[in-house]
Amino acid sequence: MRLLLIHARRFSYEVVKPAVEEPEPLGEAGGSGAFENTLVVFTSVEKGDDESAVPGAVSEILSVFNQVKASSIVVYPYAHLSQDLAPPFEAVKILGRLYAALKEAGVEAYKAPFGWYKAFTLECYGHPLSELSRSVRRSETGARRVVEKKFYIMTPDGVLHDPAGFNYAGYPELKALVEKEVFGKEFTGGENKVNEYCRKFGFEWEPMSDHGHMRYGPHAVSIMESVMRYSWMVAQSLGIPVFKVMGSNMFNLKEKPVYEHAVLFGDRLYEVQLDEDRFVLRYAACHQQFAMLRDWVISYKEMPFGAFEVADSYRLEQRGELALCFRLRKFYMPDLHILTRDINEAIEVSMRVQSKIHEEAGKVGRSYVALYNITDEFLEKYRDKLVEFVKREKYPVLLAVIPSGIYYWVLNVEYHIVDNLNRPREIATFQIDVGNGARFNIAYVDEKGEKHHPVIIHTAILGGVERYIYMVLDTAALMEAKGQTPYIPTWMSPVQARVIPVSREFNEHAFKVAGELASRGFRVDVDDRDETLGKKIRDAGREWVPYIIVIGEREVATGTLNVRVRRSNDQKVMRLEEFIDLLNREVEGYPRVEMTLPMKLSSRPLFSYRQ
């Protein structure tokens, strides 16, 4: 907050015209004022200021006021003192608090209206204290909101337990989560096999960008696109109408709902300054979907329904916390928002979401341990529903109970795996949001024609795209630790089948087989390089190709395929149609994404990532 204090013999102002879209109402003063022997406090509220700056400003103003022996104080909004201004609605709030605090101090105080062009006349006394400037910053102690959390373990029978005295026998994942969230345990490091696997498939840090931004090679792109398309299929499988949308990733902090949402999110924001406006890069799909939904005409008859987008998202994570494929500064979030009529419908639909989250984790061989962040009011009013949620988990959960009214949600569930280094890693999530419907002015009309704000479910059923991939690769790391052959599901594999001719004379037949597989929607390539059969098979193994088809004289003569199966280490002889049937069964229910590599291995350069 910047202050220019002028001790004026005479000062007067008169409103001319609005300077912002929604100027402050003129009030009792009617847009003008005239004062004698007054201390005029020209004031700019800057970005980052909050009400914790007011006591410091009051102290500075009163100190000068008492020294110059003025009769009154005029708080005069004056944007020209700074180029880093707070949004108008935030400035109005802080200036109002400053004015009220001066009145509370027992001085005669006035305030000129905010958001107007004003003509003013000023006659300064000219003594040494008549022109002073001050800069006041917010109190860091006051600005940091400390949220008191009470932690409990809730078992599926609904009983609450003290985390310190709970018996964790049989619940190692819960123990790891509690040690991290409740007791702040620092987990030991180690070599994370997932990092090696990520690099194998072309997930790398981009050295020419801000750290925390990744680049995706052709193999990685295939995996990413497969998961993105599958996330849309999963959203549609909930049994409610879902609309796929797209939009901007940059939103103006001058917009009140954007600013308030950003304040609630915290300090991990990417911001961009353009001319006089400051924009925040979205950290999920909320901004665009909410900005769009507020313009829709919605009836109760259409609810519940969802809006979905795979949103490029930006969070300014701490540099030391960044982890390849897991904690990133730029990532992709398959974000689904479901509009419901009220909290009871939101709870009912959330249970459907909960089931789907567990179902999808189970498909890749994993199970979750849950952290339930809830408000004390939700615990009191909906304890029976909370117990039902936990029963459906079929496993104890960690509860973190916070005071009501701090966040926009009343229930925020985080689903964690415990990875190959025994660290809890959040993957999927859902929230019940009771605040953003009103904040963004999203409304629906009920049976009586009356408008209401919906309760909104936020969910990433698979988790962030990269985090879901992290879970799949971590599952492979656990396999390898047990002495098993690591693999990823065929529907995600960049190359689902590789045809290897024993020698050049069988290339034509190999490409014929590959062409037939490609025409059926499978990702297939041909190793037509002048390499030994052994090297070709080893290279396919290093690339984790699920099925290796060797074509030689016998296969051409008999019309069969010699198929090596990575998952089981089996070798099978089958006809082409049999193999196609096998692939069809294996990828049923999953998207078929186009090949991101040329079919011929001989036409590929050496990639920067290791195969």
Side-chain angles (χ1 to χ4, degrees):
M1 185 183 298
R2 295 190 181 274
L3 310 174
L4 175 63
L5 299 96
I6 305 292
H7 185 201
R9 180 177 283 110
R10 279 177 289 275
F11 176 69
S12 62
Y13 72 85
E14 185 172 358
V15 163
V16 177
K17 63 179 181 179
V20 297
E21 288 185 8
E22 297 183 8
E24 187 178 15
L26 296 180
E28 296 179 2
S32 64
F35 313 90
E36 295 185 357
N37 186 27
T38 189
L39 181 65
V40 185
V41 183
F42 292 94
T43 311
S44 286
V45 180
E46 297 184 293
K47 177 186 173 294
D49 288 339
D50 58 26
E51 292 187 19
S52 68
V54 169
V58 169
S59 177
E60 295 284 358
I61 294 167
L62 290 181
S63 175
V64 176
F65 174 76
N66 290 324
Q67 290 181 71
V68 302
K69 299 185 177 353
S71 300
S72 62
I73 297 173
V74 178
V75 177
Y76 191 92
Y78 199 65
H80 307 289
L81 297 179
S82 174
Q83 294 183 342
D84 194 22
L85 296 172
F89 52 86
E90 189 68 11
V92 167
K93 181 175 69 174
I94 294 172
L95 288 171
R97 184 68 197 108
L98 174 62
Y99 167 63
L102 290 169
K103 296 279 284 185
E104 291 165 6
V107 301
E108 186 177 338
Y110 303 90
K111 183 173 74 67
F114 178 91
W116 298 86
Y117 291 115
K118 298 180 284 287
F120 68 80
T121 301
L122 174 69
E123 183 181 342
C124 179
Y125 273 109
H127 57 73
L129 296 179
S130 63
E131 299 177 63
L132 299 170
S133 63
R134 296 286 187 268
S135 180
V136 182
R137 288 298 177 190
R138 68 179 185 176
S139 164
E140 289 301 321
T141 302
R144 290 188 184 125
R145 174 185 285 168
V146 178
V147 179
E148 294 292 335
K149 294 183 179 181
K150 295 179 181 179
F151 289 100
Y152 304 95
I153 302 294
M154 178 176 275
T155 46
D157 58 5
V159 177
L160 294 178
H161 303 265
D162 181 354
F166 187 74
N167 181 2
Y168 294 96
Y171 306 116
E173 295 87 0
L174 179 63
K175 182 180 180 182
L177 181 63
V178 169
E179 286 176 341
K180 175 179 180 288
E181 297 291 338
V182 181
F183 302 116
K185 177 181 176 180
E186 294 290 336
F187 290 89
T188 57
E191 183 182 352
N192 190 353
K193 293 293 290 185
V194 176
N195 292 338
E196 175 188 328
Y197 298 162
C198 285
R199 288 189 289 268
K200 172 189 290 291
F201 289 107
F203 295 94
E204 303 175 286
W205 294 124
E206 175 48 68
M208 296 183 71
S209 180
D210 178 28
H211 190 51
H213 291 241
M214 284 171 48
R215 63 188 186 188
Y216 307 83
H219 293 79
V221 168
S222 178
I223 296 173
M224 290 287 290
E225 289 186 350
S226 295
V227 175
M228 288 177 179
R229 292 195 198 177
Y230 184 56
S231 66
W232 168 234
M233 294 172 66
V234 170
Q236 293 174 290
S237 72
L238 286 171
I240 61 174
V242 181
F243 301 89
K244 192 173 186 180
V245 300
M246 293 176 64
S248 175
N249 64 358
M250 186 185 298
F251 293 84
N252 199 328
L253 284 166
K254 284 185 177 179
E255 296 290 336
K256 186 177 180 181
V258 173
Y259 180 86
E260 290 179 350
H261 199 277
V263 169
L264 289 171
F265 179 75
D267 57 0
R268 294 178 293 156
L269 305 176
Y270 266 102
E271 297 182 25
V272 177
Q273 182 76 39
L274 294 173
D275 299 325
E276 297 182 357
D277 290 332
R278 188 176 294 272
F279 296 82
V280 62
L281 296 180
R282 63 178 175 185
Y283 30 88
C286 308
H287 299 86
Q288 183 58 84
Q289 292 186 16
F290 294 168
M292 190 177 294
L293 288 167
R294 71 177 180 176
D295 295 331
W296 292 12
V297 179
I298 304 169
S299 165
Y300 73 97
K301 296 177 182 179
E302 290 113 31
M303 299 169 76
F305 72 84
F308 176 88
E309 180 184 5
V310 179
D312 54 320
S313 305
Y314 304 82
R315 299 183 186 181
L316 199 57
E317 303 284 12
Q318 294 297 311
R319 191 177 182 91
E321 295 177 343
L322 297 172
L324 195 65
C325 285
F326 183 77
R327 191 176 292 280
L328 312 170
R329 287 181 173 173
K330 189 255 186 170
F331 57 97
Y332 292 91
M333 176 68 78
D335 225 353
L336 173 64
H337 292 92
I338 303 171
L339 272 61
T340 63
R341 283 168 280 196
D342 52 37
I343 187 71
N344 290 315
E345 185 173 68
I347 290 171
E348 176 189 342
V349 176
S350 292
M351 288 183 179
R352 203 181 306 179
V353 169
Q354 176 196 35
S355 296
K356 186 62 66 173
I357 285 173
H358 283 291
E359 178 186 335
E360 292 306 322
K363 287 181 180 179
V364 294
R366 298 307 287 264
S367 59
Y368 284 129
V369 57
L371 168 59
Y372 275 60
N373 299 285
I374 62 171
T375 63
D376 49 13
E377 184 178 0
F378 187 86
L379 178 60
E380 179 182 349
K381 288 187 176 180
Y382 298 97
R383 180 162 181 159
D384 58 333
K385 296 296 184 182
L386 179 62
V387 172
E388 188 175 347
F389 272 117
V390 177
K391 281 181 180 178
R392 294 163 58 89
E393 298 287 345
K394 300 178 182 177
Y395 193 87
V397 306
L398 174 61
L399 293 187
V401 183
I402 67 168
S404 299
I406 295 178
Y407 298 113
Y408 54 80
W409 47 260
V410 293
L411 173 65
N412 176 359
V413 184
E414 304 171 9
Y415 286 101
H416 297 251
I417 59 169
V418 175
D419 72 5
N420 68 99
L421 294 180
N422 200 40
R423 298 170 305 185
R425 294 294 204 185
E426 181 187 348
I427 307 295
T429 183
F430 75 85
Q431 304 171 7
I432 296 179
D433 170 0
V434 297
N436 280 315
R439 178 170 291 111
F440 283 83
N441 197 28
I442 303 168
Y444 73 92
V445 178
D446 69 7
E447 300 93 327
K448 300 177 182 178
E450 297 175 349
K451 285 191 174 183
H452 301 274
H453 298 300
V455 175
I456 303 171
I457 300 168
H458 303 231
T459 183
I461 294 173
L462 297 183
V465 173
E466 292 89 348
R467 289 197 176 194
Y468 178 81
I469 293 166
Y470 181 95
M471 178 170 67
V472 171
L473 295 177
D474 183 71
T475 305
L478 295 175
M479 294 177 198
E480 188 170 6
K482 295 176 183 177
Q484 302 169 356
T485 301
Y487 67 88
I488 61 175
T490 301
W491 68 271
M492 288 177 60
S493 295
V495 178
Q496 294 169 322
R498 174 163 296 166
V499 184
I500 300 179
V502 171
S503 61
R504 279 186 174 184
E505 63 183 288
F506 303 109
N507 280 3
E508 182 179 350
H509 190 78
F511 279 107
K512 181 179 179 182
V513 170
E516 185 63 29
L517 291 171
S519 71
R520 305 295 183 97
F522 299 113
R523 294 186 293 277
V524 58
D525 60 16
V526 177
D527 193 342
D528 60 333
R529 300 174 299 165
D530 289 327
E531 300 286 357
T532 66
L533 177 61
K535 177 171 173 50
K536 291 180 179 181
I537 291 174
R538 287 193 300 273
D539 287 349
R542 281 193 288 269
E543 207 169 329
W544 290 15
V545 176
Y547 294 98
I548 301 170
I549 302 171
V550 177
I551 299 292
E553 184 176 351
R554 182 179 59 184
E555 287 73 35
V556 173
T558 61
T560 59
L561 306 177
N562 184 335
V563 181
R564 298 171 184 241
V565 184
R566 177 176 180 81
R567 182 181 304 190
S568 62
N569 294 311
D570 290 337
Q571 193 166 330
K572 300 179 179 180
V573 175
M574 59 181 71
R575 296 194 173 276
L576 179 58
E577 286 302 323
E578 290 180 273
F579 182 62
I580 290 172
D581 288 343
L582 183 154
L583 285 179
N584 278 328
R585 290 193 300 272
E586 193 161 337
V587 301
E588 185 178 1
Y590 293 101
R592 300 205 182 188
V593 172
E594 301 79 8
M595 192 79 170
T596 55
L597 295 151
M599 182 178 283
K600 293 182 178 182
L601 264 70
S602 62
S603 62
R604 298 178 190 174
L606 291 175
F607 300 118
S608 57
Y609 47 93
R610 299 194 302 269
Q611 288 294 330

